[in-house]
Amino acid sequence: MLRKKRKLTSQVADEKRLLEGKERIAAAAAGLFLNGGYHSTSVREIAQKAGLSVGSVFNYFTSKEEILFFLFSRNQERAQDTLREQRAEFERLKAQGVDPKDLLWLAYQSYARLIDEMRRYTVLGYQELKSLTVAEQRRILEGEERLQQFLEEVLSYGVEQGAFPGGDVNLKAHCLMVLAQSWAVRHWALKHFTKIDDYLSALKKIALGIAEERTFAPHRIAMVAADANGYDFEKSEV
Amino acid sequence: MLRKKRKLTSQVADEKRLLEGKERIAAAAAGLFLNGGYHSTSVREIAQKAGLSVGSVFNYFTSKEEILFFLFSRNQERAQDTLREQRAEFERLKAQGVDPKDLLWLAYQSYARLIDEMRRYTVLGYQELKSLTVAEQRRILEGEERLQQFLEEVLSYGVEQGAFPGGDVNLKAHCLMVLAQSWAVRHWALKHFTKIDDYLSALKKIALGIAEERTFAPHRIAMVAADANGYDFEKSEV
Amino acid sequence: MLRKKRKLTSQVADEKRLLEGKERIAAAAAGLFLNGGYHSTSVREIAQKAGLSVGSVFNYFTSKEEILFFLFSRNQERAQDTLREQRAEFERLKAQGVDPKDLLWLAYQSYARLIDEMRRYTVLGYQELKSLTVAEQRRILEGEERLQQFLEEVLSYGVEQGAFPGGDVNLKAHCLMVLAQSWAVRHWALKHFTKIDDYLSALKKIALGIAEERTFAPHRIAMVAADANGYDFEKSEV
Amino acid sequence: MLRKKRKLTSQVADEKRLLEGKERIAAAAAGLFLNGGYHSTSVREIAQKAGLSVGSVFNYFTSKEEILFFLFSRNQERAQDTLREQRAEFERLKAQGVDPKDLLWLAYQSYARLIDEMRRYTVLGYQELKSLTVAEQRRILEGEERLQQFLEEVLSYGVEQGAFPGGDVNLKAHCLMVLAQSWAVRHWALKHFTKIDDYLSALKKIALGIAEERTFAPHRIAMVAADANGYDFEKSEV
DNA sequence: GATGAATGAGGTTTCATTCAT
DNA sequence: TATGAATGAAACCTCATTCAT
């Protein structure tokens, strides 16, 4: 009669307690997801590590996948908060007439430090984003895009001010993002940097060099079949 | 992570047949692993897509994981082949006194094109490497390191020849690798480039800029606890 | 990526084997469903009784519910087969000018014997029909309606021939059906009849009496709110 | 079927409060049990609909099953009350020398109206009786038997008075009961009757016809193996 | 060598019931 | 007495793997 009744809400009523519980479980899950991956981690393991019974986990989350999504969104929020602060800071410093190069470097540093703080989640993103619903994936990627957009804005401001040459701002921002993220996702290749600040100081010239490079303007034309390069990919593309 | 294998060898005797079968199955698996992930793909699906019975798959591979490993190693081999060619080419051109900058650009281009050809597997690497045994992971990463080493050698040659300033060659190579790989793993952000060559020509100045940047020399001291930066990671680190 | 992939077909390929297996499992399930009910019966129990492993059950059926539906439909088919025979027989005897009363009694007897043969399933129907999808329920009830329609036709033929008075043929058929079904669903109250034929011979006069009764013609007007009799039923009505 | 109860008494001391609470919960449960079935209804849903907490439900009932039993018994009581009234009325009218046929019809009508009032529970009985303990089942069925016995007595009185022919009074009562219950359990086939009284007036001639039918006397011999008709039923028989 | 049915361990999820607050 | 979070057993179902044919 009632087919497919899905429990839509968490069982725990008290908002504060609910969030605390979620945090606790998610924290336990994060570690396990990272070593071993999302699919290889059982809810039983998560519960155990969080010091709860299996059933209790489902009082806080309605599904295992929700735990993964929670991890991503919570960090997304964290990133967006930082972004907001950065924006404010950027406007403030701009008004003070600070050198665009310094502005970029400040912005970039704070992005890289964010990556460092959330290193585990950055890696998780690269690994397990595809385990989410397409809708959920999009939500997360939109956040990422907003981060990149900010770098683009800072770069564009530099162009306006004559600090950087015009060019493919979008590409430059992409490169900068990727180099920051590599601190997390390719950390094994950067083992000789002890801390993010070591990496950053080594990277400084390279990063600014990218910004100052005179590249071609972008060909902002939406290609009809952007992906028509001979591949027979079936659906995906993450 | 570690598991006990029952049957250690494949059931198929004829070497040629065996390899053909493996290729066929792996090809089918590759697509499925990419859209859907390794864990969500069942052996039955793979068998079906390969036009075989479930049982047959296990005549060619001893486990599902072996299929994944096969995919990685086969591509590793492919990459190492390319690397060997590149090395030969590099020596030849070096002997002809070709400009180190051109040498680097040639090497880099061919690496990027390799990434492009194996785009699906590059993504797969970022996503599913952790699904392998630690030993297997290491084997794959060693290949990756060899690729980076080649770039480092080319860069070093440029330094010797006075084309590039001295500096952290290791870091530069890392950056170059990451930017090439981003064509695969962050392709959604590069949608406005139709083909790898479009991306490459836009990237050329940036890449060479990185090579020519005057960075600090590396502090080649192996840190005792390179990872002692406050994290409580348990085991892994990919 | 692929969300909600439902295994749509049974795993067993060989048609004959598949059917045999289904029969075997369904037979085991039938008994268990009857004592204890559908929900209280676990798949493990079914498997055990059928002499199979749990997994194997799901090679034959895609879900537990399918077992229940299989039971219902298979008996539905069985009933429809009998119905077809009855129809043929009816036409044959009608052509021979057999007395309508005898025709009715023959038809009724064979329906009652069918009920007897499928007694367990008749009970199951009363108990567990609601455990099916609404669509599936409808399919089963349509079969039941066809059975009743046949009785109505036989009754109508008797009316034409002057053997029975006109009246609410639909109601009469309903009464006859219910009395036959009561042999299954209220068997505890009929314990003093050893066999269906005992019950039938005792019931003969009553059944024919019903047919011969002079009832009012039916008020075949579709009532606007047929159910507006003060109840606050929420949805169902089986 | 049989289970171990932990707590044997309800937690609520005040008798009045206890009963009020039980009624409230049972009322909520009744609707849910009907649409959806006993097993598919969770205690949480019941609590929610009753406007209580889950814990409170278990202050009033010691188990979910007890709710079901409560529903059945409360209606059983209701039925027995009506029965008592009917008995009194019957004696009164008998003393007044009322026509036995009228007596039967009055008694039958009031039974049918009872069924109508408790339609939901009649259906529930057919569906979920088996979810009770065997002992509980028996208690409920005994009540049902008492109801039938009354009809038998009324019929017997008619026989004594020469209004009905002798015959299988037990069978006749059974038939009458079943036809009344069909208003509830096979309501879908009687949709063209808006109200129970419509059904009753259409049924009147049939019902009285049954009473007046000249059937065989019953063979009241307890059969040794009453069920020896080839079935392999294991335990139950509802 | 190929097949595919059988297996059973283990996955996620539900839910009646308990019990500290 | 009321609450609702915690529990853990047990449910359904999936799937890699085996093995008789």
Side-chain angles (χ1 to χ4, degrees):
Chain A
M1 232 59 181
L2 11 158
R3 228 107 282 270
K4 294 284 151 219
K5 58 168 164 179
R6 261 244 163 288
K7 196 180 38 177
L8 287 169
T9 77
S10 322
Q11 225 58 253
V12 177
D14 182 15
E15 201 67 28
K16 192 167 167 305
R17 202 189 175 100
L18 176 64
L19 197 64
E20 274 172 17
K22 283 193 167 189
E23 294 284 1
R24 179 143 141 244
I25 294 165
L32 295 167
F33 286 169
L34 267 168
N35 335 21
Y38 170 72
H39 282 98
S40 304
T41 304
S42 72
V43 176
R44 221 182 306 276
E45 288 172 282
I46 298 172
Q48 206 146 22
K49 193 165 170 211
L52 283 167
S53 68
V54 188
S56 283
V57 171
F58 287 93
N59 284 346
Y60 290 90
F61 290 99
T62 63
S63 71
K64 184 184 166 190
E65 207 219 70
E66 211 195 80
I67 303 177
L68 186 62
F69 184 60
F70 179 82
L71 280 170
F72 282 135
S73 1
R74 225 206 23 173
N75 281 282
Q76 193 59 251
E77 278 168 36
R78 171 101 171 65
Q80 300 301 322
D81 286 350
T82 308
L83 178 59
R84 220 167 300 124
E85 288 170 24
Q86 283 307 308
R87 276 228 150 82
E89 178 85 353
F90 174 58
E91 295 302 329
R92 209 175 312 129
L93 297 176
K94 204 163 68 174
Q96 292 175 16
V98 174
D99 180 5
K101 285 177 192 168
D102 291 339
L103 282 180
L104 177 68
W105 184 239
L106 282 172
Y108 190 59
Q109 268 182 309
S110 88
Y111 176 65
R113 285 186 187 124
L114 183 67
I115 289 289
D116 180 54
E117 277 177 52
M118 314 193 325
R119 218 172 78 198
R120 30 183 15 178
Y121 305 104
T122 305
V123 177
L124 202 57
Y126 270 78
Q127 286 174 356
E128 302 293 357
L129 202 62
K130 68 171 183 319
S131 301
L132 296 180
T133 309
V134 211
E136 290 169 334
Q137 283 179 42
R138 184 150 30 239
R139 265 190 61 185
I140 302 300
L141 285 183
E142 278 165 9
E144 173 94 355
E145 272 173 355
R146 272 196 294 279
L147 294 174
Q148 184 171 330
Q149 272 161 24
F150 177 58
L151 277 190
E152 292 175 16
E153 288 166 31
V154 179
L155 281 167
S156 297
Y157 175 70
V159 174
E160 277 174 38
Q161 299 295 313
F164 308 135
D168 194 336
V169 165
N170 182 258
L171 173 64
K172 286 179 176 175
H174 161 84
C175 292
L176 291 173
M177 299 274 300
V178 161
L179 291 182
Q181 289 171 7
S182 76
W183 172 251
V185 295
R186 215 170 171 266
H187 196 255
W188 56 265
L190 299 169
K191 280 270 167 63
H192 58 284
F193 296 111
T194 315
K195 296 190 159 196
I196 180 68
D197 285 339
D198 297 339
Y199 178 55
L200 272 176
S201 47
L203 198 63
K204 182 168 187 180
K205 290 220 170 160
I206 289 176
L208 290 177
I210 290 174
E212 290 165 12
E213 209 64 61
R214 180 171 304 278
T215 63
F216 300 114
H219 28 283
R220 269 273 171 230
I221 305 140
M223 299 296 152
V224 180
D227 224 337
N229 60 347
Y231 283 118
D232 64 328
F233 283 84
E234 273 129 72
K235 278 194 294 185
S236 96
E237 195 83 21
V238 178
Chain B
M1 232 59 186
L2 34 150
R3 51 205 65 111
K4 59 233 93 137
K5 301 236 179 83
R6 311 288 159 83
K7 227 184 325 173
L8 283 166
T9 82
S10 322
Q11 297 298 72
V12 178
D14 181 15
E15 201 67 29
K16 193 167 167 306
R17 264 184 91 83
L18 177 63
L19 196 64
E20 274 174 17
K22 283 194 167 190
E23 293 283 1
R24 181 141 138 245
I25 293 165
L32 294 167
F33 286 169
L34 263 169
N35 332 15
Y38 169 71
H39 281 96
S40 305
T41 304
S42 71
V43 175
R44 207 183 312 276
E45 285 173 285
I46 298 172
Q48 210 146 26
K49 197 171 169 204
L52 283 167
S53 67
V54 184
S56 280
V57 171
F58 284 90
N59 286 342
Y60 289 91
F61 290 101
T62 65
S63 73
K64 183 185 167 189
E65 204 223 68
E66 211 195 63
I67 304 178
L68 185 62
F69 182 60
F70 179 82
L71 278 171
F72 283 135
S73 358
R74 225 207 21 176
N75 280 280
Q76 194 58 249
E77 280 167 34
R78 171 103 169 64
Q80 300 302 324
D81 287 350
T82 308
L83 179 58
R84 220 166 300 123
E85 288 171 25
Q86 283 307 308
R87 276 227 150 82
E89 179 86 353
F90 173 59
E91 295 302 331
R92 208 175 313 128
L93 297 176
K94 203 164 67 173
Q96 291 175 17
V98 175
D99 180 5
K101 285 179 191 166
D102 291 338
L103 283 180
L104 177 68
W105 184 238
L106 282 172
Y108 191 57
Q109 267 182 311
S110 87
Y111 176 65
R113 287 188 185 121
L114 183 68
I115 290 288
D116 181 54
E117 278 176 53
M118 313 193 327
R119 215 172 82 196
R120 28 182 19 175
Y121 305 104
T122 306
V123 177
L124 201 58
Y126 269 77
Q127 286 174 356
E128 304 292 358
L129 204 62
K130 69 180 178 314
S131 302
L132 297 180
T133 308
V134 210
E136 291 169 333
Q137 283 180 40
R138 185 152 28 239
R139 265 191 61 185
I140 303 300
L141 286 184
E142 279 165 9
E144 172 95 354
E145 273 173 354
R146 270 196 295 280
L147 293 175
Q148 183 171 330
Q149 272 161 24
F150 177 58
L151 276 190
E152 292 175 17
E153 287 166 31
V154 180
L155 280 167
S156 296
Y157 174 72
V159 175
E160 277 172 38
Q161 299 295 314
F164 307 135
D168 195 335
V169 166
N170 180 258
L171 173 63
K172 287 179 176 174
H174 161 83
C175 292
L176 291 173
M177 299 274 300
V178 161
L179 290 183
Q181 289 171 7
S182 77
W183 172 250
V185 296
R186 215 170 172 265
H187 197 255
W188 58 265
L190 299 169
K191 279 271 166 63
H192 58 282
F193 297 111
T194 314
K195 296 187 159 198
I196 182 67
D197 285 339
D198 298 338
Y199 178 55
L200 273 176
S201 48
L203 198 63
K204 183 168 187 179
K205 290 222 171 160
I206 288 175
L208 290 177
I210 288 173
E212 290 165 10
E213 209 63 61
R214 181 170 304 279
T215 63
F216 300 113
H219 29 281
R220 268 278 171 224
I221 306 139
M223 298 295 153
V224 181
D227 224 337
N229 62 346
Y231 283 115
D232 64 328
F233 283 85
E234 275 128 72
K235 279 193 296 184
S236 94
E237 194 83 19
V238 178
Chain C
M1 231 57 181
L2 11 157
R3 228 109 283 267
K4 292 287 150 218
K5 59 169 164 176
R6 260 247 164 283
K7 196 180 40 177
L8 286 169
T9 77
S10 322
Q11 225 56 252
V12 176
D14 183 14
E15 202 67 29
K16 193 168 166 304
R17 203 189 174 99
L18 176 63
L19 198 63
E20 275 172 16
K22 283 194 166 188
E23 294 283 1
R24 179 143 141 245
I25 294 164
L32 295 167
F33 286 170
L34 267 168
N35 335 19
Y38 170 72
H39 282 97
S40 304
T41 304
S42 73
V43 175
R44 217 186 305 277
E45 286 173 283
I46 298 173
Q48 207 147 23
K49 195 167 166 208
L52 284 167
S53 68
V54 187
S56 283
V57 170
F58 288 94
N59 284 346
Y60 290 90
F61 291 100
T62 62
S63 71
K64 184 185 166 190
E65 207 219 71
E66 211 196 81
I67 304 178
L68 186 61
F69 184 60
F70 178 82
L71 281 170
F72 283 135
S73 2
R74 227 207 21 174
N75 282 279
Q76 194 59 251
E77 278 168 35
R78 170 100 170 66
Q80 300 301 322
D81 287 349
T82 308
L83 178 58
R84 222 168 298 123
E85 289 170 24
Q86 283 308 307
R87 276 228 149 81
E89 179 84 351
F90 173 58
E91 295 302 332
R92 210 176 310 129
L93 297 177
K94 204 164 69 174
Q96 292 175 17
V98 175
D99 180 6
K101 285 178 192 167
D102 291 339
L103 283 180
L104 177 68
W105 183 239
L106 282 171
Y108 190 57
Q109 268 181 309
S110 88
Y111 175 64
R113 286 189 186 121
L114 182 69
I115 290 289
D116 180 54
E117 279 176 51
M118 313 191 327
R119 216 172 80 198
R120 28 184 20 179
Y121 305 103
T122 306
V123 177
L124 202 57
Y126 270 77
Q127 287 175 356
E128 302 293 358
L129 202 62
K130 68 172 185 318
S131 301
L132 296 180
T133 308
V134 211
E136 290 169 335
Q137 283 180 41
R138 185 153 27 243
R139 263 191 63 185
I140 302 300
L141 285 183
E142 279 165 9
E144 171 94 354
E145 273 173 353
R146 272 196 293 281
L147 293 174
Q148 183 171 330
Q149 272 163 23
F150 177 56
L151 277 191
E152 292 175 16
E153 287 167 31
V154 180
L155 281 167
S156 297
Y157 175 69
V159 174
E160 277 173 37
Q161 300 295 314
F164 307 136
D168 194 335
V169 164
N170 181 258
L171 173 63
K172 286 178 175 175
H174 163 82
C175 292
L176 290 173
M177 299 274 300
V178 162
L179 291 182
Q181 288 171 8
S182 76
W183 171 251
V185 295
R186 216 170 171 265
H187 196 256
W188 57 266
L190 298 170
K191 279 269 166 65
H192 57 284
F193 297 110
T194 314
K195 296 189 159 195
I196 181 68
D197 285 340
D198 298 339
Y199 178 54
L200 272 176
S201 48
L203 199 62
K204 182 168 187 179
K205 290 221 170 159
I206 289 175
L208 289 177
I210 289 174
E212 289 163 11
E213 209 63 61
R214 182 169 302 279
T215 63
F216 300 114
H219 30 282
R220 269 273 170 231
I221 304 140
M223 299 296 154
V224 180
D227 224 337
N229 61 348
Y231 283 116
D232 64 328
F233 284 84
E234 273 130 72
K235 276 194 296 186
S236 96
E237 194 83 20
V238 179
Chain D
M1 231 58 185
L2 35 149
R3 51 204 66 112
K4 57 231 94 134
K5 303 235 179 81
R6 312 288 161 84
K7 226 184 327 171
L8 284 165
T9 81
S10 324
Q11 297 298 71
V12 178
D14 182 13
E15 200 66 29
K16 193 168 165 310
R17 264 184 93 84
L18 177 63
L19 196 64
E20 274 174 16
K22 284 193 166 190
E23 294 282 2
R24 181 142 139 243
I25 294 164
L32 294 167
F33 286 169
L34 263 170
N35 333 17
Y38 170 72
H39 281 96
S40 305
T41 304
S42 71
V43 174
R44 208 184 311 276
E45 284 173 286
I46 298 172
Q48 210 145 26
K49 197 171 168 206
L52 284 166
S53 68
V54 183
S56 280
V57 170
F58 284 90
N59 286 342
Y60 289 93
F61 290 101
T62 64
S63 73
K64 184 184 167 190
E65 204 223 68
E66 211 194 64
I67 304 178
L68 186 62
F69 182 60
F70 179 82
L71 278 171
F72 282 136
S73 357
R74 227 205 22 177
N75 281 279
Q76 194 58 250
E77 278 168 34
R78 170 103 168 66
Q80 300 302 322
D81 287 349
T82 309
L83 178 59
R84 219 167 299 122
E85 288 170 24
Q86 282 307 308
R87 275 229 149 82
E89 178 86 351
F90 174 57
E91 294 302 331
R92 211 176 309 127
L93 296 176
K94 203 165 68 173
Q96 290 175 17
V98 175
D99 180 5
K101 285 177 192 167
D102 291 338
L103 284 180
L104 177 69
W105 183 238
L106 283 171
Y108 190 58
Q109 268 182 309
S110 88
Y111 176 64
R113 286 188 186 121
L114 183 68
I115 290 289
D116 180 54
E117 278 176 51
M118 313 193 327
R119 216 171 80 197
R120 29 185 15 178
Y121 304 104
T122 305
V123 176
L124 202 57
Y126 270 76
Q127 286 175 357
E128 303 292 359
L129 204 61
K130 68 181 179 312
S131 300
L132 297 181
T133 307
V134 211
E136 291 169 333
Q137 283 180 40
R138 186 151 28 241
R139 264 190 62 184
I140 303 300
L141 286 184
E142 278 164 9
E144 172 95 354
E145 272 172 355
R146 272 196 293 281
L147 293 174
Q148 183 170 330
Q149 271 161 25
F150 176 57
L151 276 191
E152 291 175 18
E153 286 166 31
V154 180
L155 279 167
S156 296
Y157 174 70
V159 174
E160 276 173 39
Q161 298 296 314
F164 307 137
D168 195 336
V169 165
N170 181 259
L171 173 63
K172 286 178 176 175
H174 163 82
C175 291
L176 291 173
M177 300 272 302
V178 162
L179 291 183
Q181 288 171 7
S182 76
W183 171 250
V185 294
R186 215 170 172 265
H187 196 255
W188 56 266
L190 298 170
K191 279 271 166 64
H192 57 284
F193 297 111
T194 313
K195 296 189 159 195
I196 181 67
D197 286 338
D198 299 338
Y199 178 54
L200 272 175
S201 48
L203 198 64
K204 182 168 188 180
K205 290 220 171 162
I206 288 175
L208 290 176
I210 288 173
E212 290 164 11
E213 209 62 62
R214 181 170 304 279
T215 64
F216 300 115
H219 28 283
R220 269 274 172 228
I221 305 138
M223 298 297 153
V224 181
D227 223 337
N229 62 347
Y231 283 117
D232 65 328
F233 283 85
E234 276 128 70
K235 279 192 295 183
S236 94
E237 194 84 20
V238 179

